[in-house]
Amino acid sequence: MGIREKVTLLSAVVCLLTMAALVAVIALSLESFIKAAMKDSLAERLDQVEALVSRGEYQRAVDTTGSDLLQLLDMDGNVLYSSPNGHDLSLVSVMDDDEDETEVDDLLFGREADDGEDSSEPPTEEGITATRGEVNDDVAKTNDESEEDLAETGAEVGVDPDPDLEVGDDLNYEPDDTDSGEDAAEMDSDDDPDPDDDPEEYNARWSGATPFLRAAFASQVRPADEPYVDASAALGTHGPYLVMRRRVSSPEGPLQLLAVASLAAAFAAVRTTAQTLAVVFCVVFALVILFVWYAVGLTLRPVKVMRDEVEAISSSALHKRVRVPRSDRDLAPLAMTFNALLDRIQQAIDEEKHFLSDASHELKSPLAASGLIIQTLAAQPGANTQALADLALENELAASIVRNLLVLARKDEGRMQPNMRPIDLADLLLEEVAQLSAYEGVSVNARGVMPLVVNADRDLLLCAIRNLLTNAVRYAASTVLVACGEDGHKVRIVVEDDGRGIDPQMREKAFERFARLDNGPVRGQEGTGLGLPVARSVVEAQGGTVRLESSHLGGVLAVIELPAS
């Protein structure tokens, strides 16, 4: 994974984590803000309700047209007044006595219970039967005390008690369809006694009928299988819910004010906002990743340019340097480091070239002198001709190595200046073929040599041809062919042998300095690996090329191509 990918991946991870944290913080902050706003709104409303309760306007205080539920309770928790959505309902206890505010996920409301009955416990069938039994006892007791008052009271409220009713009978009030409308009308009429106007008359008239009506209400309105009502059914909205309780003062004494509001709107707003932010952040995330990818690529572009410049510097062009971006404080030191390294490399190579050139030049004279001494000794009577012949070959090999090294040193230093002039190529080739008589067992065929004139440096071209012929004779099985001719605007010199040849994949490696390939048995002394590199160097200096191909004889075909005169 490259720098560009690493930076982009790291930026993606950081951006993703940052955006997730931002969504969470914004969602939590928005939720807290909306909840605080709803609490403040509900508290402000309770302040208004408290003002009405203090003036004794109870029903007006709890009347509401919204989804909030308001109830006015006494200190024992009994519901006195309630908003329409909480009619006949009492909140199951969810708060401790010392709590004034809480949040819950769900709420349950119980049906309004009879006197002395805890609404927090769901009513059962046994409870309803027990209540009816108590009501029967109360009615029987009332009949014993005053049957006339009971009959009169029942007649006034629209109830016709059964004359056969006895104490202990179960009272299952079944209202008659024909009387229900009249009874309701009489109960709702303005002739009903008001407890505020005449409390004594009110108590006297309702003392007997109230238990009877309660028993009828318990059997019809509050069934045993539906003791609770969910808050969502009462308020019309889902939870979670905010429950606030406040102790208020009224003309009748201290009361409790209970308010229930749904927080679903807050959570819905938070959820919608979070989803919107998530979509927006996804788009931003994609744009950020694209921007980082492009920005990193743009930042690394000078590095790529610097790399290309370094790759263009070869051993023959060590004078080149990397451009230093002065405006970039980060890349300028890198470029200067590259240039300093190139300076040291060039200095080391120059010293090596100078040493090689000087050593080769200094060795030429001793080798030439030793060659003359060997020839003089060989001319003396009684000399060991075989030993002197071998010594002459070794001396010639050393001289050849020195010549090759000197040529390479001049080429590397750039001091190889070919002296181009027309030469007779046929004479040059035949002269070199005649020098191969020292190698026994090889037939050198020069019948393919044609009279040609080529514009070249005689000494350099002779060095290249000599190296190719020497290699061919060393590795040939029995035959070496030499030829030359014109091919369009080029002059071709061909040297081929019938040896084992060179693997096509290794042919370029053969032109490396001091490279030695396994080409089979060698005739005479093994080469130093400088013949082919020197041949290519001197031919290229004259504008030509050297390459190796497969020979029809089975060995190697060496081709020199020079521009035609």
Side-chain angles (χ1 to χ4, degrees):
M1 182 181 296
I3 296 178
R4 193 175 190 179
E5 289 78 8
K6 289 181 180 179
V7 173
T8 304
L9 180 61
L10 181 60
S11 301
V13 173
V14 173
C15 182
L16 187 62
L17 294 177
T18 303
M19 289 183 177
L22 284 176
V23 171
V25 171
I26 293 174
L28 292 176
S29 301
L30 183 62
E31 178 184 342
S32 301
F33 174 77
I34 296 178
K35 287 169 65 175
M38 295 184 69
K39 289 182 181 180
D40 293 342
S41 176
L42 190 58
E44 183 180 355
R45 186 173 180 184
L46 289 181
D47 293 339
Q48 299 175 359
V49 172
E50 183 177 1
L52 294 174
V53 171
S54 63
R55 296 197 300 266
E57 301 179 13
Y58 305 127
Q59 189 60 46
R60 181 183 174 188
V62 299
D63 283 343
T64 179
T65 57
S67 60
D68 299 340
L69 182 143
L70 293 176
Q71 288 184 333
L72 192 63
L73 300 83
D74 58 18
M75 299 307 296
D76 296 331
N78 299 317
V79 179
L80 302 179
Y81 294 92
S82 177
S83 56
N85 53 3
H87 184 66
D88 292 337
L89 300 178
S90 59
L91 179 64
V92 176
S93 178
V94 295
M95 294 190 297
D96 298 333
D97 293 338
D98 56 347
E99 281 188 318
D100 293 331
E101 179 181 318
T102 187
E103 295 179 13
V104 293
D105 294 333
D106 199 4
L107 287 174
L108 291 178
F109 290 93
R111 295 291 185 178
E112 186 178 352
D114 293 335
D115 295 340
E117 184 180 355
D118 187 4
S119 61
S120 63
E121 295 293 336
T124 61
E125 190 67 32
E126 291 80 7
I128 296 177
T129 304
T131 301
R132 292 173 180 173
E134 294 174 358
V135 173
N136 291 337
D137 294 341
D138 293 340
V139 173
K141 183 177 181 181
T142 304
N143 288 337
D144 293 339
E145 294 177 353
S146 178
E147 294 182 359
E148 295 179 359
D149 292 342
L150 180 61
E152 180 180 357
T153 302
E156 292 179 1
V157 299
V159 177
D160 187 13
D162 190 352
D164 298 330
L165 181 64
E166 296 181 359
V167 177
D169 291 345
D170 189 9
L171 296 180
N172 289 323
Y173 178 66
E174 297 291 336
D176 187 69
D177 295 338
T178 58
D179 297 334
S180 61
E182 298 176 359
D183 293 343
E186 291 180 5
M187 291 177 66
D188 296 335
S189 65
D190 295 336
D191 295 335
D192 292 340
D194 190 348
D196 296 333
D197 296 336
D198 191 355
E200 295 182 359
E201 182 181 0
Y202 178 85
N203 294 333
R205 297 179 64 181
W206 288 91
S207 60
T210 299
F212 183 82
L213 293 177
R214 283 181 176 176
F217 178 80
S219 63
Q220 295 185 27
V221 180
R222 194 177 70 180
D225 57 348
E226 295 183 4
Y228 291 103
V229 176
D230 189 81
S232 59
L235 301 181
T237 57
H238 296 284
Y241 301 98
L242 172 64
V243 182
M244 298 182 67
R245 181 173 58 185
R246 182 179 295 186
R247 292 167 180 79
V248 297
S249 300
S250 69
E252 284 75 17
L255 299 176
Q256 297 184 85
L257 185 61
L258 184 70
V260 180
S262 174
L263 298 175
F267 287 94
V270 171
R271 185 166 52 252
T272 302
T273 303
Q275 293 174 352
T276 303
L277 287 176
V279 174
V280 173
F281 282 171
C282 286
V283 177
V284 174
F285 176 76
L287 294 177
V288 168
I289 297 304
L290 291 177
F291 173 77
V292 170
W293 180 267
Y294 175 77
V296 174
L298 188 63
T299 304
L300 295 177
R301 187 173 298 173
V303 178
K304 182 180 182 301
V305 173
M306 195 179 304
R307 184 192 64 190
D308 295 339
E309 291 177 350
V310 173
E311 288 181 351
I313 299 175
S314 61
S315 59
S316 60
L318 283 176
H319 62 280
K320 294 182 179 180
R321 293 296 181 266
V322 178
R323 288 177 296 177
V324 178
R326 300 294 180 182
S327 59
D328 195 326
R329 295 181 299 176
D330 297 320
L331 293 180
L334 179 62
M336 289 188 290
T337 303
F338 278 148
N339 290 336
L341 176 62
L342 291 172
D343 290 338
R344 294 192 298 270
I345 294 175
Q346 183 179 15
Q347 182 180 359
I349 293 179
D350 288 343
E351 292 177 355
E352 180 182 351
K353 290 178 180 178
H354 287 307
F355 171 77
L356 180 62
S357 177
D358 295 341
S360 301
H361 182 74
E362 294 297 329
L363 287 174
K364 287 181 63 179
S365 297
L367 289 174
S370 62
L372 291 176
I373 293 174
I374 294 172
Q375 291 179 3
T376 302
L377 292 176
Q380 296 295 327
N384 190 345
T385 57
Q386 182 62 39
L388 292 176
D390 293 339
L391 186 58
L393 289 176
E394 294 294 338
N395 189 79
E396 180 61 27
L397 177 61
S400 175
I401 295 174
V402 169
R403 286 194 301 271
N404 290 333
L405 289 176
L406 183 59
V407 170
L408 292 177
R410 290 177 178 176
K411 188 257 184 184
D412 292 340
E413 290 179 345
R415 295 189 296 114
M416 183 181 292
Q417 300 297 331
N419 183 16
M420 308 294 289
R421 58 189 179 87
I423 61 174
D424 188 345
L425 185 58
D427 289 344
L428 185 65
L429 290 174
L430 293 176
E431 180 181 347
E432 285 300 314
V433 169
Q435 298 295 328
L436 298 177
S437 58
Y439 292 93
E440 298 179 357
V442 178
S443 172
V444 180
N445 188 342
R447 289 177 296 180
V449 175
M450 300 176 59
L452 288 174
V453 177
V454 63
N455 193 32
D457 187 306
R458 177 180 177 85
D459 294 335
L460 294 180
L461 184 58
L462 180 62
C463 179
I465 293 174
R466 182 180 297 164
N467 289 342
L468 295 181
L469 287 173
T470 301
N471 283 341
V473 171
R474 282 177 180 171
Y475 294 100
S478 60
T479 304
V480 173
L481 296 181
V482 181
C484 65
E486 279 190 297
D487 184 8
H489 298 286
K490 295 181 181 180
V491 174
R492 289 168 56 93
I493 303 173
V494 177
V495 178
E496 57 181 324
D497 60 75
D498 59 350
R500 290 179 54 183
I502 300 177
D503 188 353
Q505 297 179 354
M506 302 297 293
R507 288 172 183 170
E508 282 301 315
K509 185 175 178 60
F511 288 96
E512 296 179 2
R513 297 181 183 182
F514 301 102
R516 295 184 179 182
L517 305 180
D518 184 14
N519 297 347
V522 179
R523 181 175 288 101
Q525 293 181 334
E526 188 177 358
T528 60
L530 293 176
L532 289 178
V534 169
R536 172 170 282 186
S537 298
V538 296
V539 171
E540 288 180 351
Q542 301 174 75
T545 60
V546 178
R547 67 177 183 274
L548 300 180
E549 299 178 356
S550 297
S551 171
H552 70 282
L553 299 177
V556 176
L557 173 68
V559 180
I560 297 178
E561 290 185 348
L562 294 171
S565 301

